[in-house]
Amino acid sequence: MKKRKWPIAAMMTAVMALMLAGCNSSTTNNHADSGNNDDGKNVVNIGYSGPLSGPAAYYGERTLNGVKMAAEEINKNGGFEVNGKTYQINVVSLDDKYLPNETAANAKRLVQEHHTPIIFTPHSGGVMAMQVFNQTDNFIIAAYTSEPKITETGNKMTIRIPPRYDGYIPTFTDYVMKRFGKKLAALPTATQYGKDWTEQLLPYWEKQGGEVVYNTSIDFTKDTDFFTIITNALKEKPDVLFIGGPSEPTAKVVKQARELGFKGGFIVMDQAKLDEMKRTIGSYEMLEGAIGVMPLVESKEAGAPQFAENYRAKYNAEPSSESAYNYLALYAFVEAMKAAGTVDDPVAIREHMNEGLKNIPEDKQVYIVPSVGEDGGFESKITVGAVEKGKVVPIELKK
């Protein structure tokens, strides 16, 4: 029998396919499914799909860091016990490049190949893509997005982790209107999340007597120089710019606006964080008059200082609310598994989430979340800060 000869092109194609498949997945320990690992230990796989490449990669990495950090702490402390068995956590992470269709494909893979009862994702488009089938495929979506719509669909297997963004709008509007004026130019991210934020903010702005003088969006996956867009917006002489998206490109929008002579204020969508923007552009000077989410490092909660210290030591970077909220969420899910008496029944785990939140150890409470609301969202407190004279100061919520 003659040996079959493979054409060189075919061999190269096969090798490249294997390489790409390997590059698409990052795991703490790459087990095929939940069960026993190579050491005979019981393992629960937790899924993650988010942007780990492209312009939003830094944002995706921060959210994933929080999940991984909690998992590693739990494992280091001996795992967790359910019904007499001790389990370790394995985080299986896949890159979706911030594309909802990729999130959906990743979720199918995570459930079918890794039997993940929970999948974290940090963008509303990805959440909505998974909500099409997560109840039938039986997994919980751990949604790091403040988009209210994701918990208004009746999907009982979705947990929204951060506060709803519409809770920020009255305070943000009141602050910048009083300080800078009533003419607003909107330059948010072009994602679905940015569109939804815009649809909520602009009518409210006008209802308060404001005027929207310019309205467009920025596609951070394609645009890296915002000169033309910002120049066109500033021609309309706005008092305030509404901006947002991942922190790093949003900070670059601020920098270019200042370089073009803009002296007004900024409404910063809650995805971007003031302290992270500061690190991108070097100081708070350019961010004077910006209002956004209060940085994690200013938190007074019991678990925040130790979390920040541990995060810096592990990642050589400043912690963020993305990392902290996802860290807290994994602890809540583990406590819910313990309360439910199961690691592989997502419905039962979901039903015990309030017990899970209640049982989070005090030293892990980077935020205080007393319960999950009827809509499926963490009922955490909204905290707002604004940049005044080179530092972030707390702003009282407008009721």
Side-chain angles (χ1 to χ4, degrees):
M1 180 182 289
K2 291 183 178 180
K3 291 184 179 180
R4 182 178 179 182
K5 294 183 178 180
W6 284 71
I8 292 175
M11 291 177 65
M12 291 299 293
T13 300
V15 171
M16 288 300 293
L18 287 169
M19 290 175 65
L20 287 170
C23 291
N24 192 42
S25 174
S26 171
T27 66
T28 305
N29 292 294
N30 193 14
H31 306 299
D33 53 44
S34 295
N36 294 337
N37 66 9
D38 296 335
D39 299 324
K41 294 179 180 178
N42 299 305
V43 173
V44 179
N45 286 335
I46 299 295
Y48 174 91
S49 179
L52 300 175
S53 63
Y58 189 46
Y59 168 67
E61 288 167 2
R62 285 195 302 270
T63 58
L64 177 58
N65 285 349
V67 179
K68 290 169 62 178
M69 189 167 155
E72 289 169 14
E73 287 181 2
I74 291 166
N75 293 344
K76 186 178 179 180
N77 289 325
F80 66 101
E81 186 174 318
V82 175
N83 285 342
K85 289 185 177 180
T86 300
Y87 292 86
Q88 299 269 304
I89 297 173
N90 176 50
V91 179
V92 186
S93 59
L94 300 176
D95 181 14
D96 64 22
K97 307 174 184 65
Y98 221 14
L99 300 173
N101 61 313
E102 293 284 341
T103 314
N106 286 348
K108 288 286 186 181
R109 178 179 170 188
L110 288 165
V111 171
Q112 292 169 7
E113 297 182 14
H114 301 280
H115 306 289
T116 52
I118 301 158
I119 298 176
F120 284 77
T121 196
H123 53 102
S124 61
V127 173
M128 292 175 185
M130 290 194 293
Q131 284 181 322
V132 174
F133 57 86
N134 76 300
Q135 293 183 112
T136 55
D137 285 15
N138 197 27
F139 66 91
I140 297 170
I141 301 172
Y144 186 77
T145 172
S146 60
E147 170 55 65
K149 289 181 181 178
I150 68 158
T151 46
E152 294 174 350
T153 62
N155 190 298
K156 297 185 182 301
M157 297 292 282
T158 298
I159 294 288
R160 189 192 70 249
I161 298 170
R164 294 167 55 121
Y165 68 69
D166 51 4
Y168 294 104
I169 289 175
T171 304
F172 285 9
T173 298
D174 182 68
Y175 177 84
V176 293
M177 266 195 181
K178 288 179 177 176
R179 185 171 174 186
F180 295 102
K182 296 188 175 184
K183 296 169 70 174
L184 176 77
L187 303 171
T189 174
T191 62
Q192 185 61 48
Y193 172 70
K195 293 173 185 176
D196 293 340
W197 237 102
T198 304
E199 289 175 5
Q200 291 281 335
L201 173 66
L202 300 195
Y204 185 85
W205 181 270
E206 292 175 332
K207 188 176 179 180
Q208 304 309 306
E211 178 187 3
V212 178
V213 297
Y214 191 79
N215 182 13
T216 191
S217 60
I218 300 174
D219 187 346
F220 290 123
T221 65
K222 298 177 181 178
D223 300 326
T224 56
D225 186 348
F226 319 115
F227 178 85
T228 301
I229 294 173
I230 297 171
T231 298
N232 290 336
L234 297 187
K235 286 179 182 177
E236 305 303 321
K237 302 186 185 310
D239 302 307
V240 178
L241 297 184
F242 165 49
I243 58 175
S247 296
E248 292 69 35
T250 302
K252 293 174 183 177
V253 172
V254 170
K255 186 173 185 291
Q256 287 198 349
R258 293 301 193 208
E259 289 171 348
L260 288 167
F262 180 65
K263 299 187 183 302
F266 298 96
I267 289 178
V268 182
M269 287 169 55
D270 59 322
Q271 182 181 1
K273 303 300 185 294
L274 297 172
D275 54 332
E276 294 163 7
M277 293 169 68
K278 171 200 170 186
R279 289 194 287 275
T280 299
I281 56 182
S283 75
Y284 277 129
E285 183 179 355
M286 288 187 177
L287 287 162
E288 181 67 27
I291 186 167
V293 176
M294 178 64 77
L296 169 72
V297 292
E298 305 292 337
S299 173
K300 308 300 182 187
E301 304 302 349
Q306 189 62 55
F307 171 82
E309 181 180 331
N310 293 346
Y311 190 93
R312 292 184 188 109
K314 182 173 181 58
Y315 295 108
N316 193 29
E318 287 298 309
S320 67
S321 56
E322 289 96 349
S323 302
Y325 265 119
N326 284 279
Y327 170 90
L328 179 80
L330 184 56
Y331 269 102
F333 282 119
V334 166
E335 292 297 331
M337 289 179 188
K338 291 159 68 174
T342 177
V343 299
D344 55 12
D345 183 347
V347 173
I349 295 166
R350 171 64 183 87
E351 289 174 350
H352 287 78
M353 280 304 296
N354 277 322
E355 290 171 78
L357 286 167
K358 180 181 177 181
N359 294 334
I360 294 174
E362 185 177 354
D363 64 341
K364 306 303 179 185
Q365 293 179 13
V366 287
Y367 294 106
I368 299 300
V369 183
S371 62
V372 176
E374 291 184 6
D375 66 348
F378 279 8
E379 294 190 320
S380 49
K381 180 182 177 182
I382 287 177
T383 56
V384 173
V387 179
E388 296 181 357
K389 297 179 181 179
K391 62 181 181 179
V392 180
V393 299
I395 302 298
E396 185 177 349
L397 291 179
K398 178 180 172 60
K399 298 180 180 179

